[in-house]
Amino acid sequence: MADPPSPSAGALAFARSRGWFSTLDAQTLLEAAGAGEPQPGPGAFAAALVEGALLVATADRTLERGELDALAGLLQALTGHALERDELAGVIYAFAALAHKQGRPARLAALGRALPNEENRHDVLAFAALVALCHKGLCDPEREALATMAGALALPPAALDDAIARANAALAAG
């Protein structure tokens, strides 16, 4: 895997201000991807963030190299480069395989069950929007995927526009 692009300072500041990925290791994420059903535990929220971003990035049913690099670059920076690129690729592909095997609707439903806290559901939506915007901006299928995710997470209709606005503001700040 090529070196992921450096995420903007604004994207990093936004994600760090929320405390996402403060303590995380690849094994925890791989175990979460392998479980199929999100399990409570130290990496559950981080796993939900990664899977949510992946589900939006693959809204067109493909994972482009640039999308993989954007997600990997952001994850690597957020974890203080504690995760190697091959570990990140393994985590991302494990979640992609899970979505392929179970289907996107089942994975979105699993995310909803895994996130009983409304603030966490808003954060998963905002992180997915941030990752989508980091790679070529937000395309129609990604926006539709975000809207579907907001519904699956039982968020109010305004949550989608709020998540996109927060992500855009963070990128503009960088």
Side-chain angles (χ1 to χ4, degrees):
M1 177 153 104
D3 286 344
S6 296
S8 76
L12 289 173
F14 174 63
R16 286 184 179 135
S17 74
R18 302 297 301 161
W20 300 335
F21 305 104
S22 54
T23 58
L24 181 66
D25 61 71
Q27 188 59 40
T28 301
L29 285 175
L30 282 170
E31 288 170 5
E37 185 69 22
Q39 304 295 314
F45 177 60
L49 287 166
V50 173
E51 185 171 15
L54 176 74
L55 289 169
V56 172
T58 59
D60 59 0
R61 306 297 191 252
T62 62
L63 181 60
E64 292 179 22
R65 181 55 174 242
E67 292 167 323
L68 175 65
D69 289 346
L71 181 53
L74 190 54
L75 290 173
Q76 194 168 42
L78 287 171
T79 59
H81 296 269
L83 300 177
E84 298 295 328
R85 283 189 288 281
D86 60 340
E87 291 175 310
L88 289 166
V91 166
I92 293 166
Y93 284 126
F95 280 115
L98 195 56
H100 179 74
K101 178 181 176 183
Q102 295 183 3
R104 297 171 66 74
R107 295 313 309 154
L108 286 169
L111 277 179
R113 289 189 302 274
L115 298 166
N117 177 312
E118 185 174 345
E119 181 181 3
N120 288 163
R121 293 192 307 266
H122 280 279
D123 283 345
V124 167
L125 187 67
F127 185 70
L130 180 68
V131 171
L133 286 165
C134 282
H135 177 254
K136 296 183 184 178
L138 191 63
C139 66
D140 288 339
E142 290 168 337
R143 184 175 178 79
E144 290 169 20
L146 285 167
T148 300
M149 180 182 290
L153 297 177
L155 293 173
L160 174 61
D161 290 333
D162 179 59
I164 293 169
R166 289 169 54 201
N168 271 320
L171 290 172

